[in-house]
Amino acid sequence: GAGVSQSPRYKVAKRGQDVALRCDPISGHVSLFWYQQALGQGPEFLTYFQNEAQLDKSGLPSDRFFAERPEGSVSTLKIQRTQQEDSAVYLCASSLGPTAYEQYFGPGTRLTVT
Amino acid sequence: GIQVEQSPPDLILQEGANSTLRCNFSDSVNNLQWFHQNPWGQLINLFYIPSGTKQNGRLSATTVATERYSLLYISSSQTTDSGVYFCAVEAGTASKLTFGTGTRLQVTL
């Protein structure tokens, strides 16, 4: 079956612009996660949804970051007034259940802020 | 929060060699996964292994949960094995994965 998909794959934004990154999880997966991966580092957790409920947003670096999953499937990560430090790869993952289930990752969106 | 450390940080192998990658974690875990991040950035699931031993072709993994470590074995390495290997754990009530520092593997001809 289809895996996790993300779009766009690459995004270049000028500092101060707003961006929206999309994630399509594996069909039927309850849990959805967003991670941020800086160059040369491991992915770091941003936020977690169980169905449409955002249960953990402790990793969002500032109030410029906002995520939603209104119908419990597709999710959007929005970054307002982008800054250069937001340049990173944004990874989405989904899993069948809420905890202790295998997470599957999408290909990521590489965001470059100029 | 939980700490996850991987060793070695970098590894260069000649094709055909075997290797062992280690992941140490600081607390009990509900979930442990090994990933291979290929040169294009895709995280590929290798093993879901909170405890015990699993094998898949040339790869195998063992997690000793009581001693808080996991090992990934790569046998008869190939150039396509190059990339970064991550261990990631889920601990406590948090559903998120905490990633280790990674091992960068380069397999040469």
Side-chain angles (χ1 to χ4, degrees), chain B residues 2-6 22-29 32 34 49-51 62-71 87 89 91:
Chain B
I2 192 168
Q3 304 299 309
V4 185
E5 293 186 358
Q6 294 183 239
R22 186 176 179 102
C23 171
N24 292 330
F25 42 95
S26 61
D27 205 345
S28 58
V29 299
L32 188 146
W34 281 98
I49 186 165
S51 63
T62 295
T63 297
V64 183
T66 53
E67 297 187 22
R68 300 182 183 167
Y69 73 88
S70 184
L71 302 173
C87 162
V89 303

Side-chain angles (χ1 to χ4, degrees), chain A residues 44-103:
Chain A
E44 292 193 351
F45 171 79
L46 294 176
T47 188
Y48 159 59
F49 290 86
Q50 185 176 327
N51 295 307
E52 68 278 3
Q54 189 176 19
L55 298 186
D56 187 347
K57 51 182 181 179
S58 62
L60 296 177
S62 78
D63 58 7
R64 295 186 296 103
F65 286 70
F66 171 77
E68 60 183 5
R69 192 186 185 199
E71 296 179 1
S73 57
V74 170
S75 176
T76 304
L77 176 67
K78 298 178 179 178
I79 309 173
Q80 298 176 324
R81 304 181 304 281
T82 52
Q83 304 294 315
Q84 282 195 317
E85 62 262 29
D86 300 335
S87 295
V89 176
Y90 291 85
L91 294 163
C92 176
S94 71
S95 68
L96 189 60
T99 59
Y101 281 82
E102 190 168 6
Q103 293 188 24

Side-chain angles (χ1 to χ4, degrees), chain B residues 39-89:
Chain B
W40 296 270
Q42 175 73 53
L43 278 167
I44 299 165
N45 291 45
L46 297 178
F47 292 102
Y48 169 76
I49 186 165
S51 63
T53 297
K54 291 186 177 180
Q55 181 159 5
N56 184 3
R58 297 181 296 103
L59 303 182
S60 64
T62 295
T63 297
V64 183
T66 53
E67 297 187 22
R68 300 182 183 167
Y69 73 88
S70 184
L71 302 173
L72 177 69
Y73 305 95
I74 305 174
S75 64
S76 305
S77 58
Q78 301 176 357
T79 55
T80 52
D81 294 333
S82 296
V84 182
Y85 289 79
F86 286 106
C87 162
V89 303

Side-chain angles (χ1 to χ4, degrees), chain A residues 1-40:
Chain A
V4 179
S5 61
Q6 293 185 244
S7 61
R9 293 293 314 279
Y10 303 91
K11 176 71 179 177
V12 178
K14 291 188 176 171
R15 191 172 57 180
Q17 283 185 331
D18 298 348
V19 298
L21 313 180
R22 178 187 169 106
C23 171
D24 283 83
I26 295 172
S27 177
H29 276 198
V30 166
S31 298
L32 186 145
F33 305 82
W34 284 98
Y35 295 84
Q36 180 190 60
Q37 186 173 22
L39 192 63

